[in-house]
Amino acid sequence: MLYYLRMERKGIRQLSVLFKILGDENRLRILHELREKEASVGELVNRLEISQPLVSHHLRELKLAGLVTSRKSGPYVFYRLSKPRVFDLFALAQSLVGEHP
């Protein structure tokens, strides 16, 4: 609780936005796919078996959050993870999932 009291409103708002973005299963799946190497939208569509518009939407949200970056190569856009430390957060969250009061 003390940590919460010391945070500024802006910091709380930024965390809230980040957790909302990470609260979508497809976005988490995309991040996991990008963990090892970059991928195009088409590659992600094939690997995740979700529609191209949905993949593009989630990539846009992840990019706005600063979690992925993109580069264009000919007609293709390739995405890659820009903040691999997000997996530290996932590991911590996973450890909390198993804890029950």
Side-chain angles (χ1 to χ4, degrees):
M1 184 66 151
L2 187 58
Y3 176 74
Y4 177 80
L5 294 175
R6 291 184 183 167
M7 290 184 66
E8 297 177 19
R9 280 196 109 144
K10 182 180 177 185
I12 292 170
R13 192 172 304 118
Q14 289 172 330
L15 280 177
S16 174
V17 169
L18 175 65
F19 283 117
K20 283 179 186 175
I21 288 169
L22 296 176
D24 184 275
E25 182 179 339
N26 285 322
R27 290 185 191 135
L28 294 178
R29 292 174 65 209
I30 289 169
L31 289 173
H32 279 279
E33 286 294 325
L34 297 175
R35 187 174 190 176
E36 298 300 322
K37 65 176 189 166
E38 70 180 13
S40 69
V41 173
E43 290 170 330
L44 292 169
V45 166
N46 290 333
R47 289 186 210 159
L48 300 171
E49 298 180 341
I50 56 178
S51 73
Q52 181 273 322
L54 191 55
V55 169
S56 293
H57 166 74
H58 289 311
L59 285 167
R60 187 170 39 259
E61 293 292 321
L62 291 167
K63 190 172 181 181
L64 286 171
L67 296 172
V68 300
T69 59
S70 64
R71 70 172 178 86
K72 190 165 174 130
S73 179
Y76 302 101
V77 178
F78 291 89
Y79 291 86
R80 69 181 172 278
L81 194 62
S82 62
K83 294 186 180 176
R85 289 197 59 203
V86 73
F87 288 95
D88 296 339
L89 177 61
F90 295 162
L92 176 61
Q94 189 134 25
S95 73
L96 294 173
V97 170
E99 294 181 11
H100 298 285

